[in-house]
Amino acid sequence: ETGVTQTPRHLVMGMTNKKSLKCEQHLGHNAMYWYKQSAKKPLELMFVYSLEERVENNSVPSRFSPECPNSSHLFLHLHTLQPEDSALYLCASSQGIDGYTFGSGTRLTVV
Amino acid sequence: AQTVTQSQPEMSVQEAETVTLSCTYDTSESDYYLFWYKQPPSRQMILVIRQEAYKQQNATENRFSVNFQKAAKSFSLKISDSQLGDAAMYFCAYRSAFGGATNKLIFGTGTLLAVQP
């Protein structure tokens, strides 16, 4: 365990469902990130939060909605997803210009 | 925009042998950071080693070392005395030194390393 915890570890949801992914860090980091990891593609940055403020949204569809209620928690709310949204969703945190600390990810399957 | 290229989708090495994973990147910046991450089947991305571009000395972390060639924009990872636990996907990543926390890590597509007993 690296200090970044993601839940759930696995999630299967229908296209009409609403679910949320949770990420938690107690490392004192001031930035948090959501990445999407699909097979045979580079990791795609979805959202960046710095000091609880969203500073980047990489043209992510509105069916993905992030929330950062405090510096330790990050959520990704999901609704009306498509099968192509099935992927591993990774959360990470960082402090300053150092490398990221990642969670173990949530394996999402949309059916 | 910066890009990171890993040209070896898969590599294989015998246990106790040495293997080198390649990475090249493209940037117009002079100051940046380079990283190698390991992602085992457990899925957790683990930082293996980092290199600051302003440092000429190659970073070393136990059995892991890098060959950083700034002019050639090359950043290869050497794993010595390979162990079965080294089997994983390895990602090379770039991060600008400017802009603070909003600077994202830019990843390559990864190299899947198999270690043969």
Side-chain angles (χ1 to χ4, degrees), chain B residues 7 9 24 35 37 47 52 58 62 76 78 82 89 101 116:
Chain B
S7 58
T24 58
F35 305 86
Y37 278 87
L47 178 64
E52 292 90 341
N58 289 324
N62 299 317
S76 60
K78 186 171 83 171
S82 297
M89 183 72 88
Q116 308 298 329

mmCIF file of all heavy atoms in Angstrom, chain B residues 7 9 24 35 37 47 52 58 62 76 78 82 89 101 116:
data_model
loop_
_atom_site.group_PDB
_atom_site.id
_atom_site.type_symbol
_atom_site.label_atom_id
_atom_site.label_comp_id
_atom_site.label_asym_id
_atom_site.label_seq_id
_atom_site.Cartn_x
_atom_site.Cartn_y
_atom_site.Cartn_z
ATOM 1 N N SER B 7 9.622 1.995 -27.694
ATOM 2 C CA SER B 7 9.534 1.257 -28.951
ATOM 3 C C SER B 7 9.509 -0.255 -28.781
ATOM 4 O O SER B 7 9.349 -0.991 -29.760
ATOM 5 C CB SER B 7 10.714 1.638 -29.848
ATOM 6 O OG SER B 7 11.930 1.352 -29.190
ATOM 7 N N PRO B 9 7.400 -3.076 -27.222
ATOM 8 C CA PRO B 9 6.169 -3.458 -26.518
ATOM 9 C C PRO B 9 6.404 -4.580 -25.499
ATOM 10 O O PRO B 9 5.771 -4.600 -24.449
ATOM 11 C CB PRO B 9 5.246 -3.940 -27.633
ATOM 12 C CG PRO B 9 5.827 -3.393 -28.886
ATOM 13 C CD PRO B 9 7.309 -3.271 -28.652
ATOM 14 N N THR B 24 12.543 7.140 -25.484
ATOM 15 C CA THR B 24 12.939 8.428 -26.038
ATOM 16 C C THR B 24 11.802 9.401 -25.822
ATOM 17 O O THR B 24 10.645 9.009 -25.636
ATOM 18 C CB THR B 24 13.264 8.334 -27.543
ATOM 19 O OG1 THR B 24 12.115 7.839 -28.240
ATOM 20 C CG2 THR B 24 14.450 7.414 -27.796
ATOM 21 N N PHE B 35 10.982 9.755 -15.396
ATOM 22 C CA PHE B 35 10.676 8.712 -14.425
ATOM 23 C C PHE B 35 10.520 7.366 -15.134
ATOM 24 O O PHE B 35 10.117 7.292 -16.306
ATOM 25 C CB PHE B 35 9.348 9.011 -13.704
ATOM 26 C CG PHE B 35 9.273 10.348 -13.044
ATOM 27 C CD1 PHE B 35 8.881 11.468 -13.754
ATOM 28 C CD2 PHE B 35 9.577 10.490 -11.703
ATOM 29 C CE1 PHE B 35 8.797 12.721 -13.145
ATOM 30 C CE2 PHE B 35 9.490 11.726 -11.088
ATOM 31 C CZ PHE B 35 9.107 12.841 -11.802
ATOM 32 N N TYR B 37 8.286 3.978 -14.146
ATOM 33 C CA TYR B 37 7.320 3.375 -13.245
ATOM 34 C C TYR B 37 7.172 1.905 -13.611
ATOM 35 O O TYR B 37 7.258 1.518 -14.768
ATOM 36 C CB TYR B 37 5.945 4.058 -13.368
ATOM 37 C CG TYR B 37 5.810 5.329 -12.585
ATOM 38 C CD1 TYR B 37 6.195 6.547 -13.137
ATOM 39 C CD2 TYR B 37 5.295 5.326 -11.295
ATOM 40 C CE1 TYR B 37 6.061 7.725 -12.421
ATOM 41 C CE2 TYR B 37 5.154 6.507 -10.572
ATOM 42 C CZ TYR B 37 5.543 7.694 -11.152
ATOM 43 O OH TYR B 37 5.409 8.860 -10.435
ATOM 44 N N LEU B 47 6.908 3.843 -8.420
ATOM 45 C CA LEU B 47 8.040 4.619 -8.927
ATOM 46 C C LEU B 47 9.327 3.816 -8.741
ATOM 47 O O LEU B 47 9.645 3.390 -7.638
ATOM 48 C CB LEU B 47 8.140 5.950 -8.192
ATOM 49 C CG LEU B 47 9.306 6.847 -8.597
ATOM 50 C CD1 LEU B 47 9.168 7.269 -10.054
ATOM 51 C CD2 LEU B 47 9.372 8.070 -7.684
ATOM 52 N N GLU B 52 16.617 14.021 -12.777
ATOM 53 C CA GLU B 52 16.444 15.437 -13.063
ATOM 54 C C GLU B 52 17.284 15.794 -14.283
ATOM 55 O O GLU B 52 18.463 15.405 -14.344
ATOM 56 C CB GLU B 52 16.889 16.295 -11.865
ATOM 57 C CG GLU B 52 16.008 16.166 -10.654
ATOM 58 C CD GLU B 52 16.442 15.069 -9.697
ATOM 59 O OE1 GLU B 52 17.205 14.180 -10.118
ATOM 60 O OE2 GLU B 52 16.018 15.096 -8.537
ATOM 61 N N ASN B 58 23.939 9.879 -13.977
ATOM 62 C CA ASN B 58 22.824 8.968 -14.129
ATOM 63 C C ASN B 58 22.330 8.482 -12.776
ATOM 64 O O ASN B 58 23.126 8.121 -11.901
ATOM 65 C CB ASN B 58 23.229 7.764 -14.975
ATOM 66 C CG ASN B 58 23.418 8.133 -16.425
ATOM 67 O OD1 ASN B 58 22.696 8.970 -16.969
ATOM 68 N ND2 ASN B 58 24.386 7.518 -17.071
ATOM 69 N N ASN B 62 19.672 0.835 -6.395
ATOM 70 C CA ASN B 62 19.957 -0.600 -6.209
ATOM 71 C C ASN B 62 20.247 -1.257 -7.564
ATOM 72 O O ASN B 62 21.221 -0.911 -8.222
ATOM 73 C CB ASN B 62 18.795 -1.274 -5.482
ATOM 74 C CG ASN B 62 18.576 -0.680 -4.108
ATOM 75 O OD1 ASN B 62 19.517 -0.429 -3.373
ATOM 76 N ND2 ASN B 62 17.317 -0.412 -3.770
ATOM 77 N N SER B 76 17.075 5.366 -21.009
ATOM 78 C CA SER B 76 16.872 3.926 -20.918
ATOM 79 C C SER B 76 17.044 3.441 -19.486
ATOM 80 O O SER B 76 17.756 4.053 -18.685
ATOM 81 C CB SER B 76 17.829 3.194 -21.853
ATOM 82 O OG SER B 76 19.168 3.475 -21.498
ATOM 83 N N LYS B 78 18.153 0.246 -17.082
ATOM 84 C CA LYS B 78 18.876 -1.010 -17.009
ATOM 85 C C LYS B 78 18.534 -1.711 -15.707
ATOM 86 O O LYS B 78 18.627 -1.114 -14.628
ATOM 87 C CB LYS B 78 20.383 -0.786 -17.096
ATOM 88 C CG LYS B 78 21.180 -2.089 -17.159
ATOM 89 C CD LYS B 78 22.656 -1.866 -17.468
ATOM 90 C CE LYS B 78 23.439 -1.525 -16.229
ATOM 91 N NZ LYS B 78 24.912 -1.523 -16.488
ATOM 92 N N SER B 82 18.356 -9.591 -12.837
ATOM 93 C CA SER B 82 16.890 -9.629 -12.906
ATOM 94 C C SER B 82 16.301 -10.708 -12.007
ATOM 95 O O SER B 82 16.833 -11.826 -11.908
ATOM 96 C CB SER B 82 16.440 -9.880 -14.352
ATOM 97 O OG SER B 82 16.847 -8.815 -15.179
ATOM 98 N N MET B 89 4.831 -4.430 -16.267
ATOM 99 C CA MET B 89 4.818 -3.426 -17.323
ATOM 100 C C MET B 89 5.625 -2.241 -16.813
ATOM 101 O O MET B 89 5.425 -1.802 -15.676
ATOM 102 C CB MET B 89 3.386 -3.001 -17.634
ATOM 103 C CG MET B 89 3.262 -2.009 -18.762
ATOM 104 S SD MET B 89 3.578 -2.733 -20.369
ATOM 105 C CE MET B 89 1.946 -3.314 -20.777
ATOM 106 N N ALA B 101 2.243 21.875 -9.548
ATOM 107 C CA ALA B 101 1.429 20.667 -9.433
ATOM 108 C C ALA B 101 0.588 20.400 -10.666
ATOM 109 O O ALA B 101 0.169 19.275 -10.909
ATOM 110 C CB ALA B 101 0.519 20.774 -8.211
ATOM 111 N N GLN B 116 12.324 -14.935 -17.217
ATOM 112 C CA GLN B 116 12.297 -16.402 -17.345
ATOM 113 C C GLN B 116 13.166 -17.048 -16.266
ATOM 114 O O GLN B 116 14.300 -16.644 -16.074
ATOM 115 C CB GLN B 116 12.814 -16.817 -18.727
ATOM 116 C CG GLN B 116 12.148 -16.115 -19.897
ATOM 117 C CD GLN B 116 10.664 -16.405 -19.957
ATOM 118 O OE1 GLN B 116 10.214 -17.473 -19.551
ATOM 119 N NE2 GLN B 116 9.903 -15.454 -20.484
#
